Amino acid sequence: MTESDLVALVSHHEQQSLGYSGGELAEQRADAIDRYLGRPYGDEVEGQSSVVDTSIRDTVEWVMPQLLRIFISGDEVVRFEAESVEDEAAAKQETDYINWLALERNEAFNVFSSWFRDALMAKNGYVKVLWEKDESVELERYEGKTDDELALLMQDEDVEVVEHTSYVDPASVMAQMQPQIDPMTGQPVPAQPTLLHDVRLKRKRVDEYAKYEAVPPEELLIARTARQVSLADAEYVCHRRKLTFSDLRMMGYKIDDGDTEIGQDWDGVHLEDLARDRFNETDAAWDTTDPAMREVTYREIYIRCDYNGDGKAELRRVCMAGRKVLHNEETDLVPFATVTPIPFPHRHHGMSYHDIVRELEKIKTAIVRQFLDNLYLSNNVRTAADADNVSMDDLLTVKPGGVVRTIGSPGDKVMPLVVPSIGAQALQGIQYVDQWKENSTGINAYYQGLDPNALNKTATGISQLMSASMARTEAIARSFAD
């Protein structure tokens, strides 16, 4: 297989993949973000209620603390079990190190929060594992160092001298003026002048460690043939993101500003990106006059193909900027871990709370809007008036203690238009939808600890309801744990 064939194969997989721009999955993810943020549906009518129910966000945020407590509240995320007595010490050391790496060296709370929240909203959450290499530079200043001390400082290969000043030690000058007498010969011993050094050093420090970070679901493209939640055996996985030419060079790639293969590719802004854009961050103006800050789509691809022509498909890691292949090598794993709250049989993407609650949220939004519109009209009742015998200016001027002037009996000239109240029916409808949501998600008032009538329930009944709700959350935690 030639490199051109590989690029064509990658392009084919990308266009056929789950999560490709404009597909049904992208639309559902974007809608999940909109519903979580409580954005308008777009069917609002001016002058009427535009309130939006937030059942999806409420459900997700009620479950999140339970999941985080299960996974990261303790000292161990994972434990290695010894297979024999000889392995016990090694297993304990491995357990301590991996848990330190997971909980202390990385930002565990932030990563797990994003990972789980993505899954609860958008079907699947993803984490990428990589080897991080942080380079930092520290400036250090030393004064009055001798030749030996300076030589000791310069032994470090990561040290670079920025400034260096040498001078004679005043104490050695005084020693020359007052030479010591050799007790054996009785002759004066001349003192040698001592050089001192003031130096300013630049010390480069390199910190390397295993890192894991949450990846937005829209950045991943998955082969449609994926039949498991795990991506270990997926035929095609692509992590695509926007990087600048400067970013690529910092990663070690040698690219030219005028490379046409890189400049040909730009896949625009995705639906999910627009949904996540809470404060118009994507409208920031880039300095297009600086070639180093030009943006390009960078793809890190894990694809199974017979590149070496031996008749067996191997897993390869292919990195591309635009349509230019920057890296191509055989690898042994796909470095992405994924969780889904409700696995769907024989499919990679499971089901989220958005899938369960979105229709109920729309129904509740409609009922609440109608209830509020009815309440507004009841509190601001319209009036039928005889325009020939009523002062319309008085009638249209609403103020406490105001007077409406009429000719003749007011009862014959002015009549309020009574709006029938639908409050009771609306509240019953809201309660019905809430009960429906509780049955669908398992999140109820007893589990949340908010029911004001809990004292009127039997202890056994409440315990059973809480146990059932917790069992639903535990099932999600068990799915995540795999």
Side-chain angles (χ1 to χ4, degrees):
M1 180 182 295
T2 65
E3 189 172 287
S4 298
D5 295 333
L6 179 62
V7 173
L9 181 62
V10 166
S11 178
H12 170 76
H13 276 292
E14 179 175 349
Q15 296 176 24
Q16 298 296 320
S17 63
L18 296 168
Y20 190 63
S21 302
E24 182 179 356
L25 179 61
E27 293 177 357
Q28 291 182 10
R29 284 173 173 168
D31 184 67
I33 298 172
D34 287 339
R35 302 285 62 79
Y36 179 85
L37 296 176
R39 287 183 174 139
Y41 280 90
D43 58 355
E44 289 72 21
V45 178
E46 186 177 357
Q48 297 183 11
S49 174
S50 59
V51 68
V52 175
D53 180 62
T54 57
S55 292
I56 292 176
R57 180 172 65 204
D58 298 341
T59 304
V60 169
E61 293 308 312
W62 273 114
V63 174
M64 278 294 299
Q66 316 302 325
L67 294 175
L68 292 175
R69 182 166 63 241
I70 290 172
F71 283 94
I72 62 174
S73 63
D75 296 330
E76 292 185 351
V77 176
V78 64
R79 180 187 299 125
F80 291 86
E81 298 292 349
E83 296 183 357
S84 63
V85 177
E86 293 80 6
D87 295 334
E88 289 182 357
K92 184 180 185 306
Q93 186 178 31
E94 291 164 356
T95 298
D96 292 341
Y97 175 70
I98 293 300
N99 283 289
W100 172 83
L101 192 63
L103 296 175
E104 302 296 334
R105 189 64 183 85
N106 285 272
E107 297 179 356
F109 181 82
N110 291 334
V111 175
F112 273 76
S113 296
S114 299
W115 191 13
F116 291 172
R117 192 170 277 108
D118 280 339
L120 296 175
M121 284 195 303
K123 306 180 190 298
N124 289 59
Y126 299 93
V127 156
K128 182 179 182 180
V129 183
L130 61 152
W131 189 255
E132 184 74 0
K133 184 176 181 180
D134 289 335
E135 295 185 3
S136 60
V137 176
E138 298 178 358
L139 293 177
E140 301 176 356
R141 182 184 293 276
Y142 298 91
E143 296 180 352
K145 297 302 178 183
T146 64
D147 292 339
D148 293 339
E149 291 173 331
L150 179 62
L152 187 62
L153 286 173
M154 297 303 297
Q155 286 181 357
D156 193 340
E157 297 180 354
D158 296 326
V159 167
E160 177 186 348
V161 177
V162 179
E163 296 178 4
H164 178 211
T165 303
S166 59
Y167 53 91
V168 177
D169 184 3
S172 67
V173 175
M174 293 298 295
Q176 282 184 310
M177 297 175 62
Q178 300 176 351
Q180 299 292 324
I181 303 299
D182 189 339
M184 300 296 294
T185 63
Q187 298 296 322
V189 179
Q192 297 296 325
T194 303
L195 282 179
L196 296 180
H197 306 271
D198 292 347
V199 291
R200 191 164 173 245
L201 305 179
K202 183 186 295 184
R203 188 183 300 276
K204 183 169 66 174
R205 298 188 183 276
V206 179
D207 185 17
E208 299 187 51
Y209 62 98
K211 179 181 179 179
Y212 63 99
E213 59 185 14
V215 177
E218 62 267 20
E219 289 188 358
L220 282 183
L221 303 177
I222 313 296
R224 292 183 179 272
T225 55
R227 293 292 181 265
Q228 299 177 1
V229 176
S230 171
L231 296 175
D233 298 324
E235 182 180 355
Y236 170 84
V237 178
C238 173
H239 182 201
R240 58 176 179 177
R241 49 193 169 136
K242 296 289 188 281
L243 295 179
T244 64
F245 276 43
S246 176
D247 294 330
L248 295 176
R249 293 183 179 117
M250 291 290 289
M251 295 167 65
Y253 297 121
K254 296 181 179 180
I255 57 175
D256 298 327
D257 292 333
D259 196 320
T260 57
E261 286 187 274
I262 296 179
Q264 288 175 354
D265 181 66
W266 175 264
D267 55 0
V269 180
H270 308 293
L271 294 175
E272 301 96 315
D273 293 333
L274 295 174
R276 290 188 191 277
D277 187 15
R278 298 178 59 195
F279 307 111
N280 296 322
E281 296 96 334
T282 57
D283 289 342
W286 290 92
D287 184 6
T288 56
T289 61
D290 184 358
M293 296 305 296
R294 287 174 52 200
E295 283 192 318
V296 67
T297 302
Y298 175 77
R299 294 171 175 83
E300 183 179 349
I301 302 157
Y302 295 85
I303 185 171
R304 298 185 187 277
C305 63
D306 181 18
Y307 187 79
N308 55 19
D310 63 355
K312 298 178 182 179
E314 68 271 5
L315 180 64
R316 303 194 71 83
R317 176 176 178 262
V318 181
C319 299
M320 299 174 57
R323 294 302 172 186
K324 182 181 182 65
V325 176
L326 303 177
H327 187 83
N328 178 15
E329 67 173 356
E330 188 172 352
T331 188
D332 57 355
L333 59 85
V334 179
F336 295 95
T338 181
V339 294
T340 185
I342 306 175
F344 197 84
H346 316 299
R347 289 293 182 269
H348 170 69
H349 289 98
M351 295 181 64
S352 65
Y353 280 129
H354 172 258
D355 297 318
I356 299 173
V357 181
R358 61 180 173 180
E359 291 301 323
L360 301 180
E361 185 174 282
K362 290 176 66 175
I363 295 172
K364 189 174 178 181
T365 295
I367 295 175
V368 172
R369 285 180 178 180
Q370 292 172 13
F371 170 64
L372 292 177
D373 287 339
N374 180 256
L375 190 61
Y376 297 154
L377 290 174
S378 298
N379 292 335
N380 298 275
V381 63
R382 294 189 300 168
T383 303
D386 183 353
D388 295 330
N389 296 285
V390 174
S391 172
M392 298 305 295
D393 290 338
D394 292 348
L395 192 63
L396 295 174
T397 303
V398 180
K399 63 181 180 180
V403 175
V404 178
R405 291 169 291 181
T406 65
I407 299 175
S409 173
D412 299 334
K413 313 304 179 185
V414 180
M415 180 181 68
L417 298 178
V418 179
V419 178
S421 174
I422 63 168
Q425 296 89 333
L427 292 176
Q428 289 178 359
I430 293 173
Q431 292 175 355
Y432 173 75
V433 175
D434 285 340
Q435 183 62 48
W436 189 354
K437 183 185 70 174
E438 290 178 7
N439 294 336
S440 299
T441 62
I443 306 301
N444 56 53
Y446 309 104
Y447 179 67
Q448 299 167 3
L450 293 178
D451 185 17
N453 300 314
L455 293 177
N456 298 327
K457 312 296 182 182
T458 65
T460 302
I462 292 177
S463 177
Q464 290 175 346
L465 287 171
M466 292 181 65
S467 297
S469 298
M470 290 179 180
R472 296 285 290 270
T473 302
E474 289 173 1
I476 292 176
R478 187 65 187 86
S479 174
F480 284 9
D482 282 340

